[in-house]
Amino acid sequence: MDKLTDRLTITQPDDWHLHARSGSILQTVIAHTARQFGRAIIMPNLKPPVTTVTQALAYRAEILSALPENTSFQPLMTLYLTGNTSVEEVKKAAKAEHVHAFKLYPAGATTNSDAGVADIEAAYPLFAAMEKFALPLLVHGEVTNPEYDIFDREKIFIDTQLDRMVREFPDLRIVVEHATTREAVQFVESAGHRIGATLTPQHLLYNRNAILAGGIRPHFYCLPILKREHHRQALLKAATSGNPKFFLGTDSAPHTTSSKENACGCAGCYSAHAALELYAEAFEQAGALDKLEGFASFHGADFYGLPRNKQTVSLIKRAWTVPKQYGEQDHGITPLKAGEQLAWQQLTD
């Protein structure tokens, strides 16, 4: 990493958790990711969800067709685990060059998760197949029982589901996606080397006051929800520790402004427009810019067994104002930090 007072150059990073959507929204957002990242793990929770290798390859083709010219960005596809997923489909996925993981959504846990797994224990034969064929399982780690407080759902999932999964399938690579709590950090740190976690920019930069203080602020509402300050501090410490179990995953989730700003606003923060700048802000606040390259560019690639990127990207310490909206007026997307300043900016050719 080349670090000067006003310039930061690192190996090109990857985004290990991205929502790209499809159709017109995909056309609006994918260039933001391709500008900074070499690759991205693409989430499969479309409507309908991406549940087969055939669907994943078709979705990949759609993403590639939406990319700007002269970009080397590569989408890494995942399959949506359902109660109808078969062991045979796991085998097909393991043999498919462009499919890299399965995603586990507990039914009803987040956006477009209604088709998710209602009985996780019933999916154990599928986990066994993933373990056998060395296919990672990406976990949205929250329980969905309505009697549990929304701020406790990650911890309860770890205690009641994830701990047993790890013990039952010791050779299964599992990613605790968008970890949000001190308990999640402690779990990942104490688990074996096959357990990793992605951390988002919003969970590193904000606590739950961002949603609730001074009025309801829907563009900070995401799932898992922002937590108390001591959880944010634990996440930031993990991200900046140099521990290879923790790596970059934005969970950038584009929703139209109108779908966020209504009586029942949807969950998700859009961060792809300035992902690396947001992470740089968090790492700089922690006095750990020298740890950003490992977190952003090395740890995730190593966990997935993929080569590290060869190119580099550079940020310069130069304030700029984030646009209030991206995309067409009626279908626009309000980004994280809309209308606010960011201290770092990516250099372009």
Side-chain angles (χ1 to χ4, degrees), residues 7-211:
R7 184 186 175 106
L8 180 67
T9 299
I10 65 172
T11 302
Q12 186 177 35
D14 301 300
D15 187 348
W16 299 101
H17 186 121
L18 177 71
H19 297 272
R21 310 300 185 212
S22 61
S24 61
I25 291 185
L26 170 64
Q27 297 283 340
T28 298
V29 304
I30 195 61
H32 290 159
T33 292
R35 178 174 59 89
Q36 296 192 325
F37 297 104
R39 299 165 291 203
I41 285 282
I42 306 296
M43 291 296 107
N45 59 331
L46 301 183
K47 286 186 175 181
V50 179
T51 60
T52 69
V53 171
T54 299
Q55 291 171 337
L57 297 181
Y59 185 27
R60 179 177 184 271
E62 181 187 6
I63 294 170
L64 291 174
S65 70
L67 288 170
E69 293 183 2
N70 301 317
T71 179
S72 60
F73 173 78
Q74 289 296 313
L76 310 178
M77 310 312 295
T78 64
L79 300 189
Y80 188 118
L81 196 68
T82 76
N84 295 320
T85 302
S86 67
V87 170
E88 185 60 32
E89 197 64 41
V90 176
K91 293 179 182 178
K92 290 179 183 178
K95 294 178 181 178
E97 176 185 359
H98 300 298
V99 177
H100 293 267
F102 270 85
K103 180 64 184 287
L104 170 63
Y105 293 100
T110 189
T111 303
N112 298 344
S113 64
D114 292 345
V117 175
D119 181 356
I120 292 179
E121 189 172 344
Y124 275 21
L126 301 174
F127 300 162
M130 292 174 208
E131 182 180 46
K132 178 180 178 181
F133 295 109
L135 201 59
L137 176 66
L138 317 182
V139 178
H140 181 115
E142 290 188 290
V143 295
T144 58
N145 313 58
E147 64 266 28
Y148 295 131
D149 189 286
I150 192 170
F151 292 101
D152 297 331
R153 290 179 179 180
E154 183 175 270
K155 178 185 184 302
I156 294 169
F157 182 90
I158 291 169
D159 292 342
T160 63
Q161 300 287 351
L162 188 58
D163 182 63
R164 182 184 172 193
M165 288 165 57
V166 170
R167 287 185 282 107
E168 292 280 347
F169 306 99
D171 292 325
L172 177 62
R173 278 181 293 162
I174 296 176
V175 179
V176 181
E177 297 286 5
H178 40 52
T180 66
T181 59
R182 180 171 58 191
E183 290 81 6
V185 167
Q186 293 169 343
F187 179 86
V188 172
E189 288 175 337
S190 63
H193 69 281
R194 296 181 183 275
I195 310 303
T198 55
L199 301 174
T200 78
Q202 64 265 25
H203 291 105
L204 295 180
L205 287 168
Y206 302 107
N207 62 37
R208 65 187 189 178
N209 285 346
I211 310 172

Side-chain angles (χ1 to χ4, degrees), residues 97-337:
E97 176 185 359
H98 300 298
V99 177
H100 293 267
F102 270 85
K103 180 64 184 287
L104 170 63
Y105 293 100
T110 189
T111 303
N112 298 344
S113 64
D114 292 345
V117 175
D119 181 356
I120 292 179
E121 189 172 344
Y124 275 21
L126 301 174
F127 300 162
M130 292 174 208
E131 182 180 46
K132 178 180 178 181
F133 295 109
L135 201 59
L137 176 66
L138 317 182
V139 178
H140 181 115
E142 290 188 290
V143 295
T144 58
N145 313 58
E147 64 266 28
Y148 295 131
D149 189 286
I150 192 170
F151 292 101
D152 297 331
R153 290 179 179 180
E154 183 175 270
K155 178 185 184 302
I156 294 169
F157 182 90
I158 291 169
D159 292 342
T160 63
Q161 300 287 351
L162 188 58
D163 182 63
R164 182 184 172 193
M165 288 165 57
V166 170
R167 287 185 282 107
E168 292 280 347
F169 306 99
D171 292 325
L172 177 62
R173 278 181 293 162
I174 296 176
V175 179
V176 181
E177 297 286 5
H178 40 52
T180 66
T181 59
R182 180 171 58 191
E183 290 81 6
V185 167
Q186 293 169 343
F187 179 86
V188 172
E189 288 175 337
S190 63
H193 69 281
R194 296 181 183 275
I195 310 303
T198 55
L199 301 174
T200 78
Q202 64 265 25
H203 291 105
L204 295 180
L205 287 168
Y206 302 107
N207 62 37
R208 65 187 189 178
N209 285 346
I211 310 172
L212 302 170
I216 302 297
R217 303 169 72 189
H219 297 289
F220 288 97
Y221 173 56
C222 57
L223 289 173
I225 199 165
L226 299 176
K227 304 298 196 301
R228 290 180 180 273
E229 176 62 12
H230 71 268
H231 293 298
R232 188 188 75 84
Q233 290 291 340
L235 299 174
L236 191 58
K237 183 178 179 181
T240 59
S241 67
N243 188 331
K245 287 169 167 269
F246 299 98
F247 38 93
L248 185 155
T250 63
D251 192 22
S252 180
H255 295 282
T256 62
T257 299
S258 60
S259 66
K260 293 286 290 181
E261 298 176 0
N262 62 44
C264 188
C266 56
C269 297
Y270 183 65
S271 59
H273 65 293
L276 198 53
E277 291 93 338
L278 290 163
Y279 281 110
E281 180 176 305
F283 275 65
E284 185 176 39
Q285 288 176 5
L289 276 173
D290 61 315
K291 300 295 186 182
L292 180 60
E293 185 174 40
F295 174 81
S297 309
F298 299 157
H299 299 169
D302 295 348
F303 183 89
Y304 276 89
L306 295 171
R308 297 174 177 180
N309 294 319
K310 302 294 186 182
Q311 301 85 357
T312 61
V313 296
S314 295
L315 299 177
I316 188 169
K317 194 73 175 290
R318 182 172 61 200
W320 62 287
T321 301
V322 177
K324 292 184 178 180
Q325 185 169 278
Y326 289 100
E328 298 298 328
Q329 187 66 33
D330 292 340
H331 302 284
I333 298 163
T334 299
L336 205 61
K337 277 191 174 287

